[in-house]
Amino acid sequence: MSKNILILPGDGIGPEIVGEAVKVLDELIAQGLDVSYENALVGGAAFDACGHPLPETTLKKAREADAILLGAVGGYEWESLDISLRPEKALLGLRSELELFANLRPAILSRQLADASSLKAELVEDLDILIVRELTGGIYFGQPRGVETLENGEKRGFNTYVYTESEVKRIAHVAFKAAQKRQKRLCSVDKANVLEVTEMWREIVIEVARDYPDVELTHMYVDNASMQLIREPKQFDVMVTGNMFGDILSDSAAMLTGSIGMLPSASLDASAKGMYEPIHGSAPDIKGQNIANPLATILSLAMLLRYSLNEEQFALNIEQAVNSVLDAGLRTADIYTDGTEKVSTTEMGQAVRSALSKSGSNS
Ligand code: NAD
């Protein structure tokens, strides 16, 4: 039976960039990829149409789909809504309803864009790191939490850093499996010298490693990992870590690449069903101008094919097509530099599809 993808364009530039990714998907279907897809409303667009950012009909379709491709949500017009009705609530709702506990954030910098990084080009050229972040546990969710006033009138704030064995095991399995699809090197990041919970994290990761003898496992304290990311980022293949450390490290790694419009992400459940989206937001400042960079969304589609649909070859074909348009010097405004050719959202999408159709007719 063919797999089903749910398309959630969302708000702002969402419909423009997702539109280009869907045309790429159509090209792959024409080349033999066996999938079907349907659309649904999410975020501000859903609020305007039905009074809620995550309508029940969208949630039902999301539960039934094998994978979800999301643009972005949010915009000025919904900023004054009650927090429970804001577009961003839909993302949290989808993550928790679908138990998307594993966040995969690649930081990839093609050599053509090495000058966009704040680091020296030779440090980041061809950078390709994957950060696997636990997304639904750790200190962001641990109980008890709060701020209390002590008898002497002093305030005391507290959060709880907690992981269960099963939570660590399931994220470790995702990370090892991802490493198997790459260079087979996994670095687990913790603070095992200070925090008991991450000492346990380390022991469990070592235990899980026995199932993956082909993957080389190393460990690093988070303070050192943040230094190493800036000092010599290319030493890493896959990094796995908890929610808070992953939040910080994945943003640092993204910045190494210097171009927010290029980076995809995935959030997966235990059976590798996932929601895939660019790391950037809905960019309301450039909405409707046909200048947004669609490549992060197109690369999110490649991740979807790789991780949820197991279609490695189609995923690679997309990544190679993106590389070839960059090689040809095509750039949207956000990554444009002197000597390259500035193109619109739709022209960039069309160029990727042309490169894909060439690779399809050659295979
Ligand atoms: P943003 O990522 O939307 O934009 C930041 C800057 O990057 C803007 O100048 C924008 O024009 C630019 N930019 C972003 N994506 C681009 C692309 N593909 N091509 C070219 N330029 C691009 O972040 P923001 O401005 O802080 O937030 C705008 C809205 O997006 C807010 O409502 C916020 O809540 C929402 N948001 C949504 C998500 C999501 O849906 N996952 C994530 C972050 C922010």
Side-chain angles (χ1 to χ4, degrees), residues 2-282:
S2 80
K3 299 276 174 86
N4 182 250
I5 302 173
L6 179 65
I7 308 284
L8 300 176
D11 308 319
I13 58 170
E16 299 167 55
I17 53 181
V18 167
E20 294 311 308
V22 167
K23 287 187 241 164
V24 166
L25 183 58
D26 286 335
E27 169 64 32
L28 295 183
I29 291 172
Q31 290 181 17
L33 175 67
D34 186 19
V35 298
S36 58
Y37 64 85
E38 62 176 334
N39 278 43
L41 292 171
V42 75
F47 176 82
D48 288 349
C50 13
H52 198 280
L54 183 56
E56 197 46 50
T57 46
T58 298
L59 192 53
K60 182 168 178 289
K61 285 182 183 179
R63 286 203 184 97
E64 288 165 1
D66 295 295
I68 300 160
L69 183 68
L70 175 92
V73 296
Y76 312 129
E77 54 271 62
W78 302 287
E79 275 171 8
S80 57
L81 285 176
D82 182 76
I83 197 153
S84 63
L85 293 175
R86 293 222 191 119
E88 294 78 2
K89 266 281 163 194
L91 293 183
L92 300 178
L94 281 165
R95 282 178 194 151
S96 63
E97 287 293 325
L98 303 178
E99 291 184 62
L100 304 174
F101 66 90
N103 188 218
L104 272 56
R105 289 260 305 249
I108 298 171
L109 182 58
S110 25
R111 69 191 171 288
Q112 306 94 327
L113 302 180
D115 288 338
S117 175
S118 50
L119 294 192
K120 286 186 210 126
E122 66 263 28
L123 285 180
V124 288
E125 244 169 26
D126 295 319
L127 180 77
D128 184 356
I129 304 175
L130 177 66
I131 298 192
V132 179
R133 165 190 172 195
E134 201 290 329
L135 201 57
T136 54
I139 196 165
Y140 291 177
F141 292 89
Q143 296 288 345
R145 60 191 298 158
V147 179
E148 62 186 11
T149 306
L150 302 174
E151 274 175 19
N152 65 4
E154 192 187 11
K155 282 198 173 140
R156 175 178 176 269
F158 53 97
N159 288 88
T160 304
Y161 194 162
V162 57
Y163 271 116
T164 60
E165 188 176 353
S166 54
E167 283 175 320
V168 180
K169 273 190 178 153
R170 65 182 188 175
I171 191 74
H173 279 292
V174 170
F176 277 106
K177 288 196 173 100
Q180 280 183 321
K181 292 185 178 180
R182 296 169 46 100
Q183 294 169 36
K184 302 188 172 51
R185 289 184 294 113
L186 176 63
C187 177
S188 171
V189 176
D190 59 41
K191 191 71 182 168
N193 51 342
V194 178
L195 299 170
E196 288 84 348
V197 50
T198 69
E199 195 181 358
M200 181 196 85
W201 170 288
R202 187 178 283 214
E203 286 163 13
I204 294 169
V205 172
I206 290 171
E207 230 179 277
V208 173
R210 291 193 200 114
D211 293 348
Y212 304 90
D214 53 331
V215 176
E216 179 201 332
L217 173 66
T218 54
H219 305 272
M220 199 175 273
Y221 298 139
V222 63
D223 40 350
N224 187 25
S226 69
M227 280 197 298
Q228 296 301 328
L229 265 180
I230 310 297
R231 196 183 71 87
E232 201 196 332
K234 284 194 271 188
Q235 70 185 280
F236 297 109
D237 177 23
V238 181
M239 301 171 91
V240 62
T241 189
N243 205 342
M244 180 170 60
F245 297 161
D247 189 2
I248 299 164
L249 292 180
S250 61
D251 270 11
S252 306
M255 268 304 103
L256 295 176
T257 73
S259 43
I260 198 174
M262 296 292 303
L263 294 179
S265 78
S267 305
L268 306 180
D269 77 359
S271 56
K273 168 174 172 160
M275 183 160 83
Y276 298 80
E277 56 185 309
I279 69 159
H280 58 74
S282 57

